[in-house]
């Protein structure tokens, strides 16, 4: 039987899931590779583990919202990701959507 | 090949999904039946179709966050839902979580 904490955790994950993508897209206005992206997210309080981040990056690239490129830095090949023009357009619309959801929820909570 | 609009719609749904539960829980601080709940949600700009709402209500009740009761009103039997004590506790924690996600996203967007 799930405890109240289990149930809260599950709902919390559902709440975070959609917003994680927003945070990832926003942080990729600047080109970053996986590790530097995770650091940038952590610095603003968004924790995401590698097992969730890499599939998300591949998905977003597959959807055309990100572009990526392998490059050597500090003698190591790294895959750099960056928001595409389409990604910028989608991010702007999602940010609007977010503000509108927010305006709705604020008075309810 | 999905268009930019398809991709946006999909991400928009993901963004809304977690917040819908928050809105539903918040509106059930007051006892309501399905139709009156949908009206209350619509009045604050939250659209949800029956096919999504009823399974969500059953799930939340199964998790102990809602209690329900069949009662006759206007000569029709209706199932009334209301936040349980556990639901109130979970809603308060989710609302805190929401504010914290919000404080994080705001400066990024």
């Amino acid at each position: 039987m799930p405890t109240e904490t289990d149930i809260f955790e599950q709902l919390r994950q559902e709440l975070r899931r959609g917003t994680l993508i927003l945070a990832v897209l926003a942080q990729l206005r600047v080109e970053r590779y996986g590790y530097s992206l995770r650091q940038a997210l952590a610095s603003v309080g968004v924790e995401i583990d590698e097992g969730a981040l890499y599939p998300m990056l591949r998905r977003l690239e597959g959807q055309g919202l990100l572009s990526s490129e392998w490059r050597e830095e500090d003698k190591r090949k790294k895959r750099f990701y960056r928001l595409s023009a389409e990604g910028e357009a989608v991010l702007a619309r999602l940010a609007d959507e977010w503000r509108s959801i927010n305006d709705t929820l604020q008075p309810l909570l």
Side-chain angles (χ1 to χ4, degrees), chain A residues 94-107:
Chain A
L94 282 177
D96 281 346
E97 182 67 23
W98 171 259
R99 278 182 281 270
S100 132
I101 291 174
N102 223 14
D103 290 346
T104 302
L105 278 183
Q106 212 81 56

Side-chain angles (χ1 to χ4, degrees), chain A residues 18-38:
Chain A
T19 61
L20 264 180
I21 289 182
L22 259 183
V24 165
L25 291 176
Q27 292 290 31
L28 289 173
R29 289 178 182 130
V30 173
E31 187 188 62
R32 301 182 200 268
Y33 61 96
Y35 179 71
S36 66
L37 172 58
R38 283 185 68 213

Side-chain angles (χ1 to χ4, degrees), chain A residues 2-3 5 9 12 14 17-19 33 36 38-40 44 50 52 62 72 97 105 108:
Chain A
T3 64
T5 297
E9 263 314 310
R12 180 172 168 267
E14 286 175 40
R17 203 169 299 142
T19 61
Y33 61 96
S36 66
R38 283 185 68 213
Q39 281 189 310
V44 294
E50 295 182 31
E72 198 173 294
E97 182 67 23
L105 278 183
L108 297 184

Side-chain angles (χ1 to χ4, degrees), chain A residues 1-69:
Chain A
M1 174 100 186
T3 64
E4 184 184 306
T5 297
D6 296 336
I7 291 165
F8 167 72
E9 263 314 310
Q10 191 195 333
L11 294 171
R12 180 172 168 267
Q13 289 311 320
E14 286 175 40
L15 200 55
R16 285 185 77 228
R17 203 169 299 142
T19 61
L20 264 180
I21 289 182
L22 259 183
V24 165
L25 291 176
Q27 292 290 31
L28 289 173
R29 289 178 182 130
V30 173
E31 187 188 62
R32 301 182 200 268
Y33 61 96
Y35 179 71
S36 66
L37 172 58
R38 283 185 68 213
Q39 281 189 310
L41 289 165
S43 76
V44 294
V46 179
E47 302 291 341
I48 182 168
D49 56 62
E50 295 182 31
L53 181 60
Y54 290 98
M56 189 193 290
L57 291 174
R58 278 192 293 273
R59 170 193 161 186
L60 294 171
E61 186 177 15
Q63 290 174 323
L65 306 187
L66 302 180
S67 56
S68 78
E69 157 178 65

